[in-house]
């Protein structure tokens, strides 16, 4: 089996920020065997491997990726029903929103609030994607993966993935260890939609259905440029650039701001509120980067370089820290940098 390589790929066209330098080479794999051949080639050539989904949670350096980019393309869906639960095994290469649309259309509850999130199914477990009162951890049963170093296939139960708010072991301790090849979900046949998010519940009104929830989520997201739209420059982002800080209950108790208690006893603050009140505004332009005109938490690429986006993120982080003593944590994955994220952002 041979590997078809494209050399010198401009990664700007493969990321939703439209930023970043070139990759030495790119290839596709549609099944675990092809993937193993690509991984073996990378080892042979001493190339670091970057697994690329939809590029919607990636900040690629101006130096680019001096190695092999692998795109896993299996987009198949297999369904087995047991009682009122539909067990889905979905190839990592399927578009995330295509999966949500299919499940909503089939009357399967569990993913409807995650409508409109860009990217591919294989990346959803990486940061436990979430929105409007749902997180993907609530429906993932297991993750199928190939270990990069050995090529061995493995089935990882959800309970071992370390899922947390915008986090998992795939983003931390297991970073660069696996290629996710499929995700197994358990969805409720004929289940009711989730309506935990007040803005959504109000918009949907009486007698909500999975379809009406999806429709309203897409509408709310579009208003914030949080769905990809080729003619909307404010959607040239990686989504929310910083996660909402999780703090001890008494933190900033004297400041009147949104705060949500979490299950583990901490309190979640609003990163958007902090950025806004630290003096940053929607629509600000900072060289080749900026802040979305429709969402203060979304940093956008304006042609680059990536260094401008990194400088803007560092300025925002310093401003929020100075005003509130809180260090914001970036949500996207930074690749191709020779410094750590904390060294880059200060
Ligand atoms: C407009 C916009 C709105 C967004 N809204 C949300 C939101 O509401 N909620 C939310 O949680 N996120 C949101 N995001 C972030 C992003 O869409 C999600 O994190 C998504 O899951 C990333 O998928 P991707 O395929 O684009 O991953 P990529 O950006 O290609 O990759 C992200 C990381 O996952 C790794 N990866 C990708 N695929 C695999 C695989 N098969 N195996 C192993 N590692 C892999 C990559 O190496 C990288 O480290 C938004 C982004 C944008 C641009």
């Amino acid at each position: 089996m041979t590997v078809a390589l494209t050399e010198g790929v401009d990664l700007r066209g493969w990321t939703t920020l439209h930023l970043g330098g070139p990759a030495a080479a790119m290839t596709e794999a549609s099944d675990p065997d092809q993937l193993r051949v690509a991984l073996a080639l990378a080892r042979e050539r001493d190339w670091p491997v970057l697994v690329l989904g939809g590029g919607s949670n990636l900040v690629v350096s101006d130096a680019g990726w001096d190695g092999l980019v692998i795109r896993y393309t299996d987009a198949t869906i297999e369904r087995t029903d047991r009682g009122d639960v539909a067990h889905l095994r979905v190839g990592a290469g399927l578009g995330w929103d295509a999966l949500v649309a299919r499940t909503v259309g089939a009357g399967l509850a569990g993913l409807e609030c995650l409508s409109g999130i860009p990217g591919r199914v294989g990346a959803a477990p990486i940061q436990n994607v979430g929105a409007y009162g749902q997180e993907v951890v609530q429906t993932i049963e297991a993750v199928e993966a190939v270990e990069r170093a050995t090529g061995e296939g493995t089935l990882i139960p959800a309970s071992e993935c370390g899922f947390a708010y915008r986090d998992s072991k795939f983003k931390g301790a297991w970073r660069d260890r696996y290629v996710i090849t499929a995700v197994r979900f358990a969805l409720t046949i004929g289940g009711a939609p989730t309506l935990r998010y007040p803005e959504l519940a109000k918009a949907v009104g009486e007698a909500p259905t999975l379809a009406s929830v999806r429709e309203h989520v897409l509408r709310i997201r579009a208003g914030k440029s949080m769905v990809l739209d080729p003619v909307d420059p404010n959607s040239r982002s990686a989504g929310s650039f910083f996660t909402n800080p999780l703090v001890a209950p008494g933190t900033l108790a004297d400041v009147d701001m949104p705060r949500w208690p979490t299950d583990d006893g901490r309190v979640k603050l609003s990163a958007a509120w902090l950025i806004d009140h630290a003096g940053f505004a929607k629509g600000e332009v900072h060289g080749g980067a900026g802040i979305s005109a429709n969402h203060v938490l979304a940093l956008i690429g304006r042609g680059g370089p990536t260094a401008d986006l990194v400088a803007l993120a560092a300025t925002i982080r310093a401003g929020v820290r100075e005003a509130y003593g809180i260090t914001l944590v970036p949500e996207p994955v930074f690749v191709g940098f020779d410094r750590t994220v904390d060294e880059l952002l200060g």
Side-chain angles (χ1 to χ4, degrees):
M1 202 183 289
T2 54
V3 179
L5 288 180
T6 311
E7 300 199 11
V9 177
D10 185 347
L11 286 176
R12 283 176 302 182
W14 292 91
T15 66
T16 55
L17 277 162
H18 296 259
L19 299 178
M26 185 183 275
T27 192
E28 282 183 5
S30 63
D31 62 40
D33 285 336
Q34 275 189 7
L35 178 62
R36 285 184 192 103
V37 175
L39 290 169
L41 177 82
R43 273 197 300 277
E44 201 181 293
R45 300 207 183 173
D46 215 8
W47 271 339
V49 168
L50 170 64
V51 186
L52 178 70
S56 64
N57 213 24
L58 278 185
V59 177
V60 180
S61 75
D62 291 310
W65 186 255
D66 192 14
L68 180 63
V69 175
I70 300 180
R71 299 175 55 243
Y72 195 77
T73 58
D74 174 18
T76 55
I77 302 182
E78 291 162 29
R79 173 175 170 176
T80 314
D81 291 354
R82 269 181 237 120
D84 64 354
V85 178
H87 299 271
L88 264 49
R89 176 193 181 276
V90 187
L94 184 67
W96 174 259
D97 194 52
L99 173 65
V100 178
R102 288 273 293 274
T103 59
V104 166
L108 305 179
L111 302 180
E112 61 281 357
C113 296
L114 305 178
S115 294
I117 298 179
R120 316 239 152 238
V121 167
I126 304 283
Q127 71 156 6
N128 176 25
V129 293
Y132 298 98
Q134 265 176 354
E135 281 187 339
V136 76
V137 61
Q138 292 156 348
T139 45
I140 291 185
E141 289 189 299
V143 171
E144 292 180 28
V146 166
E147 187 146 17
R148 291 194 197 187
T150 61
E152 224 168 278
T154 175
L155 180 68
I156 309 170
S159 57
E160 289 176 17
C161 295
F163 289 125
Y165 165 63
R166 272 339 142 262
D167 204 11
S168 75
K169 285 191 193 166
F170 298 107
K171 212 174 167 181
W174 292 345
R175 184 169 166 164
D176 296 340
R177 179 163 171 191
Y178 296 109
V179 179
I180 294 174
T181 50
V183 182
R184 298 189 184 182
F185 299 90
L187 303 176
T188 310
I189 300 168
T194 297
L195 281 173
R196 281 196 206 101
Y197 193 82
E199 185 189 354
L200 179 62
K202 196 171 149 214
V204 175
E206 306 271 302
T209 62
L210 296 174
S212 70
V213 168
R214 172 172 166 77
E215 191 191 314
H216 280 91
V217 167
L218 289 173
R219 196 175 301 159
I220 296 170
R221 293 184 69 98
K224 298 179 182 172
S225 296
M226 281 287 130
V227 284
L228 293 181
D229 178 350
V231 298
D232 177 5
N234 291 300
S235 76
R236 290 189 159 212
S237 74
S240 301
F241 199 87
F242 296 102
T243 57
N244 288 323
L246 295 169
V247 298
T251 310
L252 296 169
D254 52 337
V255 184
D256 183 18
M257 66 164 95
R259 48 181 85 230
W260 303 278
T262 62
D263 293 343
D264 64 4
R266 288 184 291 176
V267 171
K268 195 188 273 182
L269 304 180
S270 161
W273 189 97
L274 291 166
I275 293 169
D276 192 16
H277 287 77
F280 299 95
K282 292 176 193 171
E284 276 184 28
V285 171
H286 292 248
I291 300 177
S292 160
N294 296 322
H295 193 14
V296 78
L297 198 45
L299 306 192
I300 55 169
R302 301 179 59 259
T306 304
D308 284 4
L309 181 94
V310 171
L312 171 57
T315 304
I316 292 174
R317 186 142 107 145
V320 169
R321 190 188 288 132
E322 198 183 316
Y324 296 104
I326 287 179
T327 300
L328 294 176
V329 176
E331 189 181 296
V333 178
F334 285 54
V335 298
F337 294 89
D338 55 11
R339 291 191 288 158
T340 66
V341 171
D342 284 337
E343 285 167 352
L344 285 166
L345 301 188

